[in-house]
Amino acid sequence: MKLRFLTSAVALTAMLLAGPVAAEPILIKFSHVVAENTPKGQMANKFRDLVAERLAGKVEVKVFPNSQLFGDNKVLEAMLLGDVQMAAPSLSKFSRYTNSLQLFDLPFLFNDIAAVDKFQNSAAGQKMLNSMRKKGIVGLGYLHNGMKQLSASSPLRTPADASGLKFRIMTSDVLAAQFEAVNATPLKKPFSEVFTLLQTKAIDGQENTYSNIYSKKFYEIQPYITESNHGLLDYMVVTSAEFWMDLPEDLKGEVKKALDEAIAFGNQVAMKKSIEDKQKIVDSKRSEIITLTPAERAQWVEVMKPVWKKFEKEIGADLVDAAYNSNK
Ligand code: LMR
């Protein structure tokens, strides 16, 4: 008894001498699937650095790139369970939580990133950040990567060239319909598996931006890239409603500010990379970049655009119109 009292007294004295225990910073684990040298990778690192600069000891961001922690099939579930706090999946990967974001997958909807920006910044676009609230997911902002190109093991100039080929796609029914429209077979597979699927010839092609094709070395094993600009690869930075609501207001404001700045930086990286990474692929001479004539491109538009009608009801015809009108 005496000994126990003595031990407690020693422990108490030691605690008092050590002073108040410093609170641990709030940890934001940010999980993503791409390389660090990409628009999303650079954005996440910038966010981590800005938070470290401004909120040291209060909030800490740890970034897990390259599907290190979670691949795209699991990250949203993990976020809802509190295993990660932030992610930025491509807009094609939310269909389990909302139909409306399928909008961004409609082929040939946006002419360029300026039109995408215009729509995302409109009231309708901003409202879509909240489209998964009821499912516990909060959209904090959009991030660009760029327009997608088609890479393949054989040259693709017209839709007939894609007929019978297998293409890896993200988990989106719109993207599946898009490839079915050219009589190709779409396969929904995680990003982390694409290189091996291409290398082992389990698939013939895939669609992605120049920065993903370059950073994941798809160009080294895909001899042809068709500059189709047929679709968009953009992201939504998301967190869980639970985490966001629990974050103290003053910190929330600072975290959001740092994120907005990091997104603006990531968007600049996206613009640069769409030009620079294309050039690196050209310089490598590993893959030929095919430029379509207006007549060839028109054929892709003609066969793929009917996909819009199929999904118009699920997405909302008003949203499709609003997005299309942002090209003007
Ligand atoms: C893909 O899965 O092809 C891309 O969305 C990966 C990414 O996050 O850019």
Side-chain angles (χ1 to χ4, degrees):
M1 185 70 186
K2 232 184 191 169
L3 185 67
R4 204 177 325 144
F5 175 75
L6 200 66
T7 321
S8 315
V10 170
L12 187 67
T13 315
M15 267 171 66
L16 288 175
L17 285 176
V21 182
E24 286 287 312
I26 295 168
L27 182 60
I28 298 179
K29 288 190 196 168
F30 194 133
S31 169
H32 68 79
V33 298
V34 291
E36 288 189 277
N37 196 18
T38 55
K40 182 159 56 184
Q42 295 282 296
M43 180 281 286
N45 290 355
K46 181 75 161 183
F47 174 55
R48 175 196 63 203
D49 296 346
L50 289 175
V51 168
E53 225 173 86
R54 298 171 187 173
L55 296 170
K58 296 180 187 159
V59 182
E60 186 188 357
V61 177
K62 278 194 179 151
V63 181
F64 299 88
N66 292 312
S67 311
Q68 243 169 47
L69 202 55
F70 291 104
D72 25 42
N73 291 350
K74 289 272 174 281
V75 74
L76 292 172
E77 273 170 49
M79 200 178 77
L80 290 170
L81 290 170
D83 293 336
V84 297
Q85 287 66 41
M86 277 194 194
S90 122
L91 295 170
S92 316
K93 293 177 182 170
F94 290 101
S95 53
R96 275 182 61 193
Y97 302 92
T98 176
N99 281 333
S100 63
L101 292 176
Q102 296 187 106
L103 170 76
F104 293 100
D105 282 339
L106 295 178
F108 299 103
L109 177 64
F110 296 106
N111 293 344
D112 50 29
I113 294 296
V116 177
D117 247 345
K118 193 167 156 192
F119 175 72
Q120 288 177 346
N121 290 323
S122 71
Q126 288 294 301
K127 204 170 148 202
M128 290 171 91
L129 291 172
N130 277 321
S131 57
M132 297 174 285
R133 269 270 174 180
K134 282 195 186 120
K135 303 275 167 71
I137 297 175
V138 178
L140 297 173
Y142 294 102
L143 170 73
H144 299 314
N145 186 321
M147 303 307 279
K148 286 182 291 187
Q149 320 302 345
L150 293 165
S151 78
S153 50
S154 52
L156 306 178
R157 291 192 179 278
T158 66
D161 297 330
S163 175
L165 302 186
K166 293 192 197 105
F167 287 87
R168 175 270 174 174
I169 55 163
M170 296 180 271
T171 52
S172 153
D173 290 345
V174 177
L175 298 180
Q178 169 194 276
F179 280 105
E180 279 158 8
V182 297
N183 295 317
T185 306
L187 293 162
K188 291 179 181 169
K189 294 285 179 187
F191 187 59
S192 57
E193 290 177 24
V194 180
F195 186 88
T196 307
L197 289 167
L198 291 171
Q199 198 178 36
T200 57
K201 309 222 182 305
I203 53 172
D204 304 296
Q206 61 89 45
E207 52 165 19
N208 237 306
T209 56
Y210 281 121
S211 79
N212 279 345
I213 294 173
Y214 179 71
S215 60
K216 288 293 176 190
K217 302 191 189 315
F218 301 158
Y219 71 101
E220 291 187 358
I221 45 172
Q222 289 270 269
Y224 301 98
I225 299 170
T226 299
E227 187 160 284
S228 48
N229 289 316
H230 64 282
L232 171 73
L233 176 59
D234 260 22
Y235 309 108
M236 191 184 283
V237 183
V238 288
T239 186
S240 79
E242 198 179 332
F243 174 76
W244 199 238
M245 264 157 44
D246 285 352
L247 198 61
E249 280 309 313
D250 53 331
L251 296 181
K252 196 183 294 186
E254 285 294 323
V255 166
K256 181 68 170 59
K257 193 162 163 271
L259 183 65
D260 289 344
E261 287 176 37
I263 286 176
F265 173 74
N267 284 340
Q268 282 173 12
V269 174
M271 295 267 284
K272 264 179 63 189
K273 290 222 159 274
S274 65
I275 298 164
E276 285 175 7
D277 288 354
K278 174 183 171 181
Q279 193 54 45
K280 285 180 191 156
I281 295 171
V282 171
D283 294 345
S284 78
K285 298 192 169 58
R286 300 289 290 264
S287 190
E288 180 190 334
I289 296 186
I290 298 171
T291 310
L292 298 175
T293 64
E296 285 166 346
R297 193 164 190 273
Q299 287 189 46
W300 292 91
V301 176
E302 194 187 326
V303 290
M304 286 184 165
K305 223 168 154 180
V307 166
W308 293 21
K309 268 273 163 271
K310 267 195 183 165
F311 291 89
E312 194 180 76
K313 223 164 152 197
E314 279 177 42
I315 295 168
D318 50 337
L319 273 184
V320 179
D321 285 347
Y324 185 60
N325 286 332
S326 63
N327 291 307
K328 289 175 189 160

